[in-house]
Amino acid sequence: VDLKECLQSAEFISSSNENFKILEDGSVYTTSAVSLSAEKKTFTILLKDIQEHVQKKIHVSLVEEEKKKTRHARDTVLKRTKRRWGPIPSVMIENSLGPFPLQIQQVQSDTAQNYTIYYSASGPGIDQDPKGLFYIERETGNIFATRAVDREQYPSFQIICFATTPDGYSPEVPLVHTIRIEDDNDNAPYFTQDLFEFSVPENSKPGVVVGKVTAEDRDEPYTLHTTLKYRIVSQNPPVTPAFSLHGDTGVIAVLLPQLDRELVSSYTLLVEVRDMAGQPFGLCTTGTAVIRIEDTNDNAPCFKQTQYETRVEENRVNVEILRVSVVDLDEPGSPGSGAVYEIIRGNDDRSFEITTDKNTNEGILCVVKGLDYESAKQRILVIAVNNEAPYMLAPHSQQLSQSTSSVTVHVLDVDEGPVFKPCHLRLDVKECEEVGTSIGKYLAEDPETGNSEGICYRIPPGQCNWISIDEKSGEVRTIKVLDRDLGEMRQGQCNITVLAIDRNGKTGTGTIQVVIQPGNKNYPRITKTDYIMCRDRKPICLTAQDGDESPYSTPFVYRITDRSLASMWKITRHNDNSVYLSPKGDTPFGIYTIPVSVIDNGGKVGENLVKVNLCDCVTPSECDSRPRSDPNGNVTLGVWAILAMILGSLLLLLILITICGCCGSGVMHRHVTDDCANHNLIISNTEAPGEEVMDHNVIPLQNTNDQGGYGIKTGDQQTFEMVKGRGHTLESVKGGGHQTLGSVKEGGGQPMMDTCRYSYSEWHNFTHPRLGEKVHLCRQDEEQKHSEDYLLSYNYEGKGSLAGSVGCCSDQHEEEALDFLDQLEPKFRTLAETCVKR
């Protein structure tokens, strides 16, 4: 390797791999057998210029040389190899006394005569130049040392020997010769620290590790020269040994069962370390270890005095009256000595408070509530003290007792003003009490005399001016009517400050809380009194309100005060403040003004007039645009109703004329007049023409939307039955049994064709409840909901109506009699109005 090209001034040459050595001329030699595998073997040559502080590196890679493949003969030929020269390694004693030069080894070759060496050292002082330390005789191959060697500086040397012939030929491979410097115990061990400091809590158990001391030796490792032993030489203070030191490891542990910081706060140990496994002829060194004992709270604080006395004036507040102090053997300023005071007896009213002065550790006793001389002339307190940190008892010690001290506080008498008893008085007053009503007394006492003589009472201005207090007697009276709903009151109450002044002008204050209890001052009233009730007669919900509070409000009691209306209307309870109002039986349509009284829970009665329009309608909005019937049965027809009746009369007259013209004289009997069916409309649910009936006694009725009905003629008497439920007839409803229509009217059983007509009230009482129910059911679908249209289509009947059949009866024989149209019910007026609109 060309070293000059890289660094000409290189003073130190080294290799990163021990298997290779580099000479000054750049030659690279192996120091041991090297096996090259498929991978490259690399190492680095390090060049240093010590004076210029320059350093450079040369990277070298070794690759196995490819061998030419040759054909070998079957018989292997053994070749004779020259014996290599190789002396055994040499040993040189460290710090040898000579004489010098000292022969160390001789190397010889069979063929060479001239010898030269190149040597290198390994160890801490490798950067130093070892030239001149060894030399070799050129002719004999003897190696000599010129001076003594320090092993700590040069643990070993490697000398590369070269053997040449006189003509300069090297027949031998360079020989690497190792010279090992044998160690001499010339270095004493030394501690790694000048002073070792440790700490351990007091009262620690034996065996607790405190710390570890360590020492080193520069002699050869793993020999007796570096096998160290530790021991404690002395302990200060020189009391019972408190610690032990492990000879091999240097670990210090607790030995004394009880370490008391209060007796000895720290220990100083003189320790020794010796090589040669502690043998007397070994070298030794001493060191110092200081062990500080940490404080624990193993001492309870104790009061310096067991009894204290102090004085304080009555009524004084937030004043310091006493300082107490304690003695604690624990370390000052630590939580183990910090005092915590408390009053354990005599402070039930919380008049006293004790705190700790952090600077002096004293307890400061203060009065936080004024004391009363008249109540107690002296107070005796018991004070206890603890520490901030919890107690840690020493082994085999008794339980620590808490220190206590008693404090006697003498209360000094001071002339003071009157005192109200109680200082806060509550007076309950009923609402709306009369002016001048006495609601109570509020008196104050002189603390010195214990009575109320000579004390005057006043209410300062600017307060609630509803009550007054008598200046001498302290009697409280109302001067206004109390009302809890006024804005001055807060939730029905107000606070009034009262002054009490004694003869000396001393003043005391008290507070009267006037609480106004709710009264029964409001009448219950019904919130809504105007209603419309349709033909479904759905009950009306009446709800009342009362401005009073419980117990003068709900539950309410409702009553109908009019006896005649009470027989037609009924009230059903819903909840505490609501009832249902509904008609009884077949109450006629009309407008009713019903007097209803509402009684609250306090017995106060409120009279109300409920106006109910019992209207023949489906929805309440229909009664706003159509005439209404009154309870007396009078009907008022509008213009459209009169036009509808006129149109219906003309239409009926045209039908009769047509029938008369078609039948002729004597061809067919007029069954319609005999049937007396022209006064009312007969409803049938059959759309197509009925079946032909040969018997003239059976007359088919007109087809309408309800169940079919038939009139049966027997002789001169006629009976009309309406199929509904169990088959009631008009005659049975009127109470005369199953009678004929003619017998009812004539009384003698003979038909009277010109007067066979019922009165309107009779016909109305029979048809109204049934016809209204039928029409209502016709307007409901399968889910019991009302249909949108009032009229039903006739082209498809579907499943039929739930309402059965509705029939109408008439005993009028003359077709021309149309005055019944003036007494039609609202149902038929609606039909007439619909026809006129179309």
Side-chain angles (χ1 to χ4, degrees), residues 744-764:
V744 173
K745 298 302 295 182
E746 294 181 4
Q750 299 297 328
M752 297 177 63
M753 306 306 294
D754 56 342
T755 60
C756 68
R757 183 173 62 182
Y758 302 114
S759 65
Y760 169 77
S761 60
E762 294 172 335
W763 181 82
H764 174 273

Side-chain angles (χ1 to χ4, degrees), residues 128-341:
Q128 299 179 8
D129 185 10
K131 290 182 179 179
L133 181 59
F134 299 98
Y135 71 91
I136 188 171
E137 288 184 348
R138 184 178 181 86
E139 294 81 8
T140 62
N142 292 325
I143 300 175
F144 294 91
T146 60
R147 61 181 182 272
V149 179
D150 187 2
R151 194 205 67 84
E152 286 70 38
Q153 185 177 8
Y154 298 108
S156 64
F157 293 91
Q158 287 183 338
I159 299 176
I160 302 177
C161 303
F162 299 90
T164 60
T165 59
D167 55 0
Y169 172 68
S170 298
E172 299 289 349
V173 176
L175 174 65
V176 179
H177 183 65
T178 301
I179 301 176
R180 187 176 64 84
I181 307 302
E182 186 175 351
D183 183 45
D184 184 22
N185 190 18
D186 58 342
N187 293 284
Y190 60 93
F191 286 101
T192 57
Q193 296 179 218
D194 295 336
L195 178 66
F196 293 92
E197 293 182 344
F198 307 105
S199 62
V200 62
E202 63 177 330
N203 300 319
S204 296
K205 296 180 180 180
V208 174
V209 175
V210 176
K212 181 180 180 181
V213 294
T214 57
E216 294 180 354
D217 196 324
R218 286 190 293 270
D219 290 325
E220 185 176 0
Y222 310 109
T223 63
L224 282 176
H225 297 167
T226 55
T227 302
L228 307 180
K229 285 286 186 178
Y230 302 90
R231 72 183 183 92
I232 297 176
V233 178
S234 63
Q235 173 185 293
N236 188 25
V239 292
T240 304
F243 303 96
S244 64
L245 178 61
H246 195 280
D248 295 331
T249 61
V251 174
I252 301 175
V254 176
L255 180 63
L256 189 67
Q258 293 179 351
L259 293 176
D260 192 351
R261 188 204 67 84
E262 288 71 35
L263 296 178
V264 180
S265 60
S266 66
Y267 293 85
T268 302
L269 303 181
L270 181 63
V271 294
E272 177 192 83
V273 59
R274 184 182 295 269
D275 61 9
M276 299 301 291
Q279 298 184 33
F281 54 83
L283 303 178
C284 65
T285 304
T286 59
T288 303
V290 177
I291 303 174
R292 186 174 63 86
I293 308 301
E294 295 180 350
D295 180 51
T296 59
N297 191 20
D298 58 344
N299 293 280
C302 181
F303 283 101
K304 291 182 178 180
Q305 295 180 225
T306 58
Q307 291 182 353
Y308 293 89
E309 286 191 16
T310 184
R311 290 173 175 80
V312 62
E313 294 180 352
E314 65 174 333
N315 300 323
R316 294 199 63 184
V317 181
N318 297 326
V319 57
E320 178 183 331
I321 61 174
L322 181 66
R323 281 180 172 255
V324 296
S325 58
V326 295
V327 176
D328 197 325
L329 299 179
D330 292 319
E331 185 176 0
S334 66
S337 64
V340 178
Y341 301 90

Side-chain angles (χ1 to χ4, degrees), residues 359-597:
N359 297 324
T360 61
N361 208 28
E362 292 178 327
I364 304 174
L365 182 63
C366 299
V367 177
V368 294
K369 290 183 181 179
L371 302 178
D372 188 4
Y373 174 82
E374 289 71 27
S375 298
K377 294 181 175 57
Q378 71 176 16
R379 299 282 296 273
I380 299 177
L381 308 177
V382 177
I383 301 174
V385 63
N386 293 306
N387 288 130
E388 296 177 4
Y391 292 121
M392 296 182 62
L393 298 180
H396 309 292
S397 62
Q398 297 180 355
Q399 181 69 29
L400 295 177
S401 59
Q402 187 180 37
S403 178
T404 60
S405 179
S406 63
V407 179
T408 302
V409 180
H410 299 281
V411 183
L412 303 180
D413 186 22
V414 177
D415 185 16
E416 53 190 344
V419 177
F420 281 97
K421 292 186 178 181
C423 61
H424 186 90
L425 176 65
R426 171 174 173 156
L427 297 177
D428 293 335
V429 187
K430 291 185 179 180
E431 193 173 14
C432 302
E433 285 283 3
E434 296 181 359
V435 176
T437 302
S438 176
I439 60 176
K441 280 188 176 183
Y442 196 28
L443 300 178
E445 296 180 357
D446 190 338
E448 281 74 22
T449 62
N451 54 51
S452 302
E453 295 180 0
I455 298 177
C456 299
Y457 304 94
R458 295 178 186 175
I459 296 178
Q463 302 187 70
C464 180
N465 57 352
W466 288 6
I467 67 172
S468 64
I469 187 169
D470 188 86
E471 184 176 357
K472 300 297 181 180
S473 64
E475 186 174 9
V476 181
R477 294 180 179 272
T478 61
I479 58 177
K480 288 185 179 181
V481 177
L482 303 183
D483 189 352
R484 61 182 287 111
D485 297 329
L486 293 182
E488 300 178 14
M489 306 298 294
R490 293 184 178 179
Q491 298 179 352
Q493 67 181 21
C494 65
N495 295 332
I496 301 173
T497 302
V498 181
L499 301 179
I501 305 172
D502 61 9
R503 296 186 182 94
N504 299 326
K506 298 285 185 178
T507 304
T509 59
T511 302
I512 298 177
Q513 182 184 24
V514 180
V515 180
I516 302 177
Q517 300 296 333
N520 195 11
K521 66 176 181 178
N522 296 302
Y523 294 91
R525 59 182 183 85
I526 298 176
T527 57
K528 182 180 178 182
T529 58
D530 195 359
Y531 296 92
I532 297 176
M533 179 182 291
C534 289
R535 65 175 66 133
D536 56 0
R537 303 192 178 219
K538 183 178 181 181
I540 298 170
C541 184
L542 301 179
T543 302
Q545 288 184 349
D546 194 332
D548 299 321
E549 296 181 1
S550 179
Y552 301 110
S553 56
T554 57
F556 298 134
V557 177
Y558 292 77
R559 292 178 183 174
I560 299 176
T561 57
D562 192 310
R563 291 186 178 181
S564 61
L565 291 174
S567 62
M568 302 174 64
W569 296 84
K570 64 178 180 179
I571 290 177
T572 307
R573 180 182 175 84
H574 177 217
N575 53 31
D576 287 348
N577 62 338
S578 300
V579 294
Y580 288 118
L581 178 64
S582 59
K584 295 181 180 179
D586 298 332
T587 303
F589 292 108
I591 298 176
Y592 296 87
T593 302
I594 306 171
V596 178
S597 65

